[in-house]
Amino acid sequence: MFGAGIFLIGQMFNLGEGVYTDFFMWGLGILPLAYHLKDKLIFASASLFFIIYGFKVLNGTVELPYLLLLIIPLLFWMNERRMGHSKVLFISNVILTLLFSFNLFIYFDLHEVLILCTFFALGLFLAFYPFGRYQLPSEWLGSVVYGMAGLFLTFPSTWGDFIPANNTGIAAIIFTIIFSIILLYFLKIGSLPAVLIVCTLIFRFYADLSYNFMPKSLFFIVGGLILIGFGFWFEKTRRGTVIAHEHDEK
């Protein structure tokens, strides 16, 4: 009802602030209620509305969502002091922080390659140095961030406007080698997310190199067999990780 009232007032008086600002006001309005009731669901809803507000940059709005700079520290503080160190809320807060960083880069017109490299470094930091009580979500979230950024950087087209066109393939190959070395290190220390990233990277190159040269039926058959093999590898690694954790606890 509160959210509907915000949207209704915006339409009645033609405020013209846009749907993203409405979501921000919605989240800001229910945040005190989440604090008072210690309600994680309401807190998560407020975080979701703030994340939607952070996506305003994708609407072509060249405007920095500076209000998030005030909200993000408050959300982290509330999770630590009021919400019982919720891992889900920690993840949503980190996503909101990364989204604000993305808005910041877009606002200052940073090149796509530099944005991806920055997120690649931030993801590695989260995966290498996970936060104490949030070790597992930090590792997985960091792996998702550096994995996605790394996959984009393996495409020569990503480097197109950043370096001369005849060197884009070399840049992509060099980065792929560096990326592979990092993934091998994570595999060595038993990182489960690294297995998924390696599987995705292998399948990406398989699809890129064979789709145009193989009969389509054979391409999908071999691709399916590869995915099945990846599934067995992931499950074997997962079981090994679980057994290792149980052994450490004993």
Side-chain angles (χ1 to χ4, degrees):
M1 291 175 63
F2 177 71
I6 292 176
F7 284 93
L8 180 61
I9 291 173
Q11 290 180 351
M12 288 174 60
F13 295 95
N14 195 23
L15 297 179
E17 292 295 329
V19 65
Y20 298 99
T21 303
D22 293 339
F23 273 109
F24 178 83
M25 298 304 298
W26 192 356
L28 188 64
I30 64 176
L31 202 57
L33 184 62
Y35 179 86
H36 176 68
L37 299 178
K38 297 183 181 180
D39 193 306
K40 295 180 181 179
L41 183 59
I42 298 178
F43 188 95
S45 300
S47 299
L48 176 62
F49 298 152
F50 293 139
I51 290 174
I52 294 174
Y53 169 72
F55 275 109
K56 67 185 299 183
V57 69
L58 300 181
N59 196 37
T61 306
V62 187
E63 178 185 348
L64 184 65
Y66 57 89
L67 295 174
L68 291 181
L69 195 59
L70 303 175
I71 293 296
I72 291 172
L74 176 62
L75 295 179
F76 276 105
W77 179 83
M78 286 181 62
N79 188 38
E80 293 297 317
R81 299 296 182 180
R82 197 71 177 172
M83 298 296 164
H85 315 294
S86 169
K87 294 180 179 179
V88 174
L89 299 181
F90 170 79
I91 292 175
S92 67
N93 292 342
V94 174
I95 291 175
L96 189 61
T97 305
L98 295 173
L99 190 58
F100 175 79
S101 302
F102 180 72
N103 278 271
L104 193 66
F105 298 148
I106 296 296
Y107 180 78
F108 288 104
D109 199 22
L110 204 63
H111 195 279
E112 177 187 0
V113 171
L114 296 178
I115 295 176
L116 289 172
C117 289
T118 303
F119 275 96
F120 183 77
L122 289 174
L124 285 178
F125 177 79
L126 277 174
F128 265 120
Y129 303 103
F131 294 90
R133 62 172 60 92
Y134 305 112
Q135 182 172 355
L136 188 61
S138 293
E139 180 184 355
W140 274 94
L141 188 58
S143 299
V144 169
V145 173
Y146 86 75
M148 291 180 62
L151 286 172
F152 276 108
L153 289 169
T154 60
F155 288 94
S157 58
T158 304
W159 301 82
D161 297 329
F162 190 70
I163 59 176
N166 56 340
N167 292 329
T168 55
I170 298 175
I173 292 173
I174 293 174
F175 178 82
T176 302
I177 294 173
I178 297 173
F179 191 23
S180 301
I181 293 173
I182 294 173
L183 289 173
L184 287 175
Y185 170 79
F186 276 112
L187 290 176
K188 184 179 179 181
I189 63 176
S191 173
L192 191 58
V195 176
L196 290 177
I197 298 173
V198 169
C199 294
T200 306
L201 185 64
I202 293 174
F203 195 81
R204 167 253 183 279
F205 278 104
Y206 163 75
D208 189 36
L209 297 175
S210 62
Y211 183 78
N212 292 326
F213 301 99
M214 294 175 60
K216 297 302 178 285
S217 57
L218 182 62
F219 169 82
F220 285 109
I221 291 173
V222 175
L225 293 174
I226 292 175
L227 291 176
I228 291 173
F230 288 162
F232 280 111
W233 182 24
F234 179 82
E235 180 62 18
K236 181 180 178 181
T237 306
R238 187 191 66 80
R239 290 181 179 179
T241 303
V242 170
I243 293 174
H245 282 307
E246 292 177 350
H247 179 74
D248 292 339
E249 291 176 357
K250 292 179 180 180

